[in-house]
Amino acid sequence: MPESNSAASQLAWHYENPMAQAMEAHRAGVPVVGLTSNTVPSELIRAAGFFPVMLRPAQCATPAADEFMEKNVFQARIRQIFESAVGGELDFLRAIVLSRTSEQEYKLFLYLREVAREGSRDGMPPVYLYGLLHSQSAETHAYGISRTEELKRQLEEIAGRPIAARDIAEAVVESNAARAAVRRVLRLREGVPRLSGTEALPLIGAYWLMARAEYAKLASEAADNFERGGPLPGARLIVKGAPLDHVRLHATLESHGAIVVAEDDWWGTRSVGVDISANGDAVKAIFDHYYLDAPSPRVFPPDAADRWFESHVRKGVDGVVFYLPPEDYVLGWDYPRQKRFLEKLGIPSLIVREDSGAEKLSAESHESIERFVKEIARKR
Amino acid sequence: MSEKQLQSTVAAGAYQKEWFAQLRRDVFESHRPYAILQADMPFEIFQVMGLPAVSNQWWSAVISAKRLAPKYLDAMNAMGFHDGLCRYCSLSMACTLADDPGEAPWGGLPKPAMIAARLTCDCIQRVFSIWSEALGTEFFALDNPGATELPPRWWELSRHRWRELFEQHRLDLTVAQFRVLIRTLERITGRAFDRAALRTLMEGVNRQEEYFEEVRELICNAPKTPVRMNEQITNVMAAQWLRGSEWAIQHAKNFRDEVKARVDAGIAAYPGERRRLMWVGAGLWHDTDFYTAFEQKHGAVFVWSMYLAFGPDGYIRYGLEDPLEALASRTVSMNEQLHMPPWANEWIVDQAKRHRIDGALVLTPLGTRPSATGNRFIERALERAGIPVLPVFADMVDPRNWNAAKMVERVGRFIEERL
């Protein structure tokens, strides 16, 4: 546990120790289910009596992934999940649920199934695919509702008991309270920020790794504390691109005097979105939330995919940093369009193409970031 | 491709060229609509609706074979699209963005009435959105539900038991999306969809693929392959883009007849054949001569690619009472069948055994990363089955990092040391 007892320290500790609460739950006899992204409805998993945890293994050597997964194709986080599943670290999970909202996750699902089928590894948790599609049409909407019902049925089968409506309602209330706490944290980054991006990411990211009620309490407490702090000077940046489940890029940007006030990704500002409706059909309400409000690389058409970014930029920002690491082969298609949008508004942008995860950014990148931040600070 | 041993190959090439020239005349002179489609789209619906369709991958291959890929890809990178993005599915779009019809193959693609793709990878919706904006035309997307049940020997179920193989929920969604596509095509063409005509066309596709199956069997059983892989591809793909049409069925029959006559006469594509190779992955369109480079020196002949082999197993559907549902079953899992475990590895090993393959070259396309997946499983499965594998890291349409001489030397070493 953290040395300091402050709420922020505790959240940051969980961010750095992502499986701590899941292991604790497992030891206490609560079955744990791993998720691979923001588009898996954790409320249904909770309602089935499981502890849901986002899989975020530490960066380490990947001998199993090297054997089965093609180089330069899968993102580092996907490779690490595969490694920890095949390597045995996730054997304590009752199941892993992946979502169809990214090609990488779908392929991870097929790869893990195949390793299990081949018999290369015994004891791996079973994997399930949640068939959420993110192109927006009446057909995919109807399909998504039926696949959410199917996921509920599968969870009931794993749990060995039906999921009661009351269980779902309670899980939604609990999750919404945690969402409200995240939104309090996010408000501290709006206008004149009182919270740096480097401080904010762990506070937000812990949402995926902890029991929701405990998270809500700690995040609210942390927000109270930061509200009492003073405003932070510096050019306000949005980071857009590959989801960042670490603070290293933010720390670099902020070391040059900028403040990251938002991220267009689910480890940051877009983590929780709006509340799940407590009215009407609960399963449909859960589905609608993940269908309409959760970001993914498969949101289509582009207007829908760009909506959050464009409206957030228009609210006021000094610059945008596009983060497209070498592993990217998807978001780079959007970059010229989004850059043109910024140019029309006169908002400067910078593209970072180095991997900010495993190693430090090069001196060259530092220099270009420094120049960029100085230039936009001068224009403010 | 230099030498053409079969009359069918010459006929297929000539027909395709004339078909495209006619398409251009129809579009420019008669203002007839046409469509550009991703290769795994249900071409059958377009055919029944009387809307000619050009395959994006075919056009990419044509551009690549004309050695124009580097120019267009460089131009695309200069527009801000980074060099790590996919090339195979975007090369045709890059040609449009370059806006240089004078240099584009055969005068270039005229403006289509629509473009359409299945959303398999996460890139294709982006490529087609950019392309549709550049063309000023509409983009129709078919979303792609994931497979959750994958019995390994899918080809034993796909012809008769396709309903259970491809999962009812996936078929239902695909049919629902087909209905929206049909309404769109009715608007574009002013014609009404004819379900009976689709069924007739599907029966025609079955006949065509049955001819291809006979060719496949001839290649499996003849002492030496009667037809080179290059020529198999030309003959098969010219017909596949127009599958079920009278020309396609007749062409498949002619091809079968010609291959059978060669087998009966004891004619081999390369009489000195001592080793049989398989090519796993899309074609190396910028250097198809590569496929014949190992005959003289090593007696190694490419006898297998997915293009012919997939026809019978991937396309034949019996039980066509609901032709849309049958077509959905043909469409919904092509990617899993050809590229993903367990379906791709199980099928390719089975094919390798049936074709008496001595060694396999597996293409991992560096410039088209989603197409690279599943390869390690395929390679492992082949090696386990006793078939040596050489992974080839190259792109199917982009020759910028391709060193032909070095690759020929490397493959030569593989043949001599491992086969």
Side-chain angles (χ1 to χ4, degrees), chain A residues 37-91:
Chain A
S37 80
N38 60 315
T39 53
V40 177
S42 54
E43 291 77 11
L44 283 181
I45 293 168
R46 187 74 197 96
F50 302 120
F51 182 95
V53 65
M54 186 64 65
L55 299 179
R56 181 177 161 253
Q59 295 278 335
C60 59
T62 55
D66 296 345
E67 186 179 350
F68 291 96
M69 301 183 108
E70 296 69 26
K71 276 182 190 155
N72 303 317
V73 173
F74 289 93
Q75 295 158 3
R77 195 177 80 90
I78 296 291
R79 290 177 69 86
Q80 293 291 348
I81 293 173
F82 181 88
E83 185 67 34
S84 50
V86 175
E89 273 175 53
L90 302 181
D91 284 4

Side-chain angles (χ1 to χ4, degrees), chain A residues 96-173:
Chain A
I96 299 174
V97 183
L98 306 95
S99 177
R100 179 65 186 102
T101 51
S102 84
E103 178 200 3
Q104 298 248 332
E105 279 176 272
Y106 177 45
K107 289 179 173 173
L108 175 63
F109 164 74
L110 294 174
Y111 276 38
L112 289 173
R113 275 181 101 260
E114 183 65 353
V115 171
R117 187 186 76 91
E118 278 186 352
S120 318
R121 262 277 290 115
D122 291 331
M124 279 168 55
V127 289
Y128 294 84
L129 184 73
Y130 172 47
L132 179 67
L133 300 176
H134 256 170
S135 65
Q136 295 184 357
S137 71
E139 293 72 33
T140 60
H141 187 266
Y143 179 75
I145 293 172
S146 73
R147 298 324 289 167
T148 310
E149 292 286 0
E150 173 63 11
L151 176 65
K152 176 172 172 274
R153 192 197 60 73
Q154 288 171 331
L155 290 167
E156 287 173 337
E157 201 175 283
I158 308 168
R161 67 165 176 87
I163 300 175
R166 209 177 69 183
D167 295 332
I168 299 179
E170 281 174 10
V172 167
V173 167

Side-chain angles (χ1 to χ4, degrees), chain B residues 305-318:
Chain B
S305 79
M306 65 178 174
Y307 294 98
L308 170 63
F310 189 68
D313 291 340
Y315 285 75
I316 292 175
R317 293 291 180 273
Y318 299 121

Side-chain angles (χ1 to χ4, degrees), chain B residues 15 28 34 66 70 90 151 174 182 192 199 243 246 335 342 373:
Chain B
Y15 186 84
F28 287 120
Y34 87 104
K66 303 278 180 199
S90 67
T174 306
I182 287 167
R199 182 176 172 155
R243 55 188 173 262
E246 276 181 37
N335 197 48
T373 51

Side-chain angles (χ1 to χ4, degrees), chain B residues 259-390:
Chain B
V259 173
K260 186 169 184 313
R262 287 171 68 87
V263 172
D264 291 345
I267 300 171
Y270 181 71
E273 174 186 313
R274 301 193 308 280
R275 292 144 166 159
R276 291 161 74 88
L277 300 175
M278 90 191 296
W279 177 261
V280 179
L284 201 61
W285 306 124
H286 55 82
D287 186 7
T288 50
D289 289 343
F290 174 76
Y291 295 122
T292 51
F294 312 99
E295 293 177 352
Q296 283 201 332
K297 191 168 175 190
H298 306 284
V301 181
F302 278 97
V303 302
W304 188 96
S305 79
M306 65 178 174
Y307 294 98
L308 170 63
F310 189 68
D313 291 340
Y315 285 75
I316 292 175
R317 293 291 180 273
Y318 299 121
L320 296 172
E321 298 77 24
D322 184 343
L324 270 185
E325 194 177 31
L327 181 59
S329 80
R330 179 181 292 160
T331 309
V332 76
S333 260
M334 278 191 190
N335 197 48
E336 288 85 358
Q337 288 164 303
L338 291 170
H339 300 293
M340 296 308 300
W343 281 358
N345 34 312
E346 289 285 341
W347 181 64
I348 286 166
V349 167
D350 183 72
Q351 286 294 304
K353 287 178 179 168
R354 293 175 57 189
H355 283 77
R356 309 177 342 257
I357 295 296
D358 298 302
L361 272 65
V362 178
L363 175 71
T364 293
L366 296 177
T368 308
R369 289 189 263 180
S371 297
T373 51
N375 277 2
R376 295 294 89 82
F377 286 98
I378 292 169
E379 291 162 7
R380 287 162 49 88
L382 284 166
E383 290 278 4
R384 268 204 309 265
I387 298 160
V389 172
L390 178 70

Side-chain angles (χ1 to χ4, degrees), chain B residues 13-174:
Chain B
Y15 186 84
Q16 273 197 312
K17 200 164 182 178
E18 175 48 31
W19 182 87
F20 188 75
Q22 183 62 45
L23 176 83
R24 280 181 59 87
R25 285 194 293 276
D26 287 346
V27 173
F28 287 120
E29 292 165 21
S30 310
H31 305 289
R32 281 189 59 191
Y34 87 104
I36 301 173
L37 309 181
Q38 190 72 340
D40 57 359
M41 282 291 289
F43 279 63
E44 293 84 345
I45 293 178
F46 291 78
Q47 208 173 136
V48 165
M49 295 300 298
L51 192 70
V54 169
S55 151
N56 178 28
Q57 278 71 13
W58 172 69
W59 190 244
S60 266
V62 172
I63 293 170
S64 179
K66 303 278 180 199
R67 308 275 196 269
L68 287 166
K71 177 187 165 170
Y72 295 142
L73 294 170
D74 285 344
M76 194 170 75
N77 296 153
M79 290 176 192
F81 298 102
H82 68 68
D83 62 5
L85 300 173
C86 294
R87 297 163 204 183
Y88 193 20
C89 302
S90 67
L91 181 56
S92 304
M93 177 195 80
C95 176
T96 299
L97 295 180
D99 195 20
D100 184 12
E103 199 178 3
W106 304 344
L109 289 171
K111 179 181 170 178
M114 76 179 304
I115 61 175
R118 286 178 66 237
L119 308 185
T120 46
C121 60
D122 298 346
C123 325
I124 203 64
Q125 65 193 51
R126 292 170 163 83
V127 173
F128 271 61
S129 293
I130 296 163
W131 200 5
S132 74
E133 198 183 329
L135 289 163
T137 196
E138 68 182 284
F139 166 32
F140 188 94
L142 282 177
D143 211 333
N144 178 36
T148 57
E149 300 294 331
L150 297 102
R153 296 176 71 83
W154 60 268
W155 61 96
E156 293 173 353
L157 304 172
S158 59
R159 298 182 194 203
H160 295 278
R161 293 166 63 188
W162 45 265
R163 275 192 184 81
E164 60 186 277
L165 177 63
F166 295 108
E167 301 176 77
Q168 198 59 49
H169 64 93
R170 301 180 75 215
L171 298 179
D172 291 345
L173 172 67
T174 306

Side-chain angles (χ1 to χ4, degrees), chain A residues 2-23:
Chain A
E3 286 172 19
S4 156
N5 259 343
S6 76
S9 308
Q10 289 185 61
L11 291 169
W13 186 86
H14 283 290
Y15 185 72
E16 292 306 323
N17 297 274
M19 291 305 255
Q21 277 213 342
M23 290 300 296

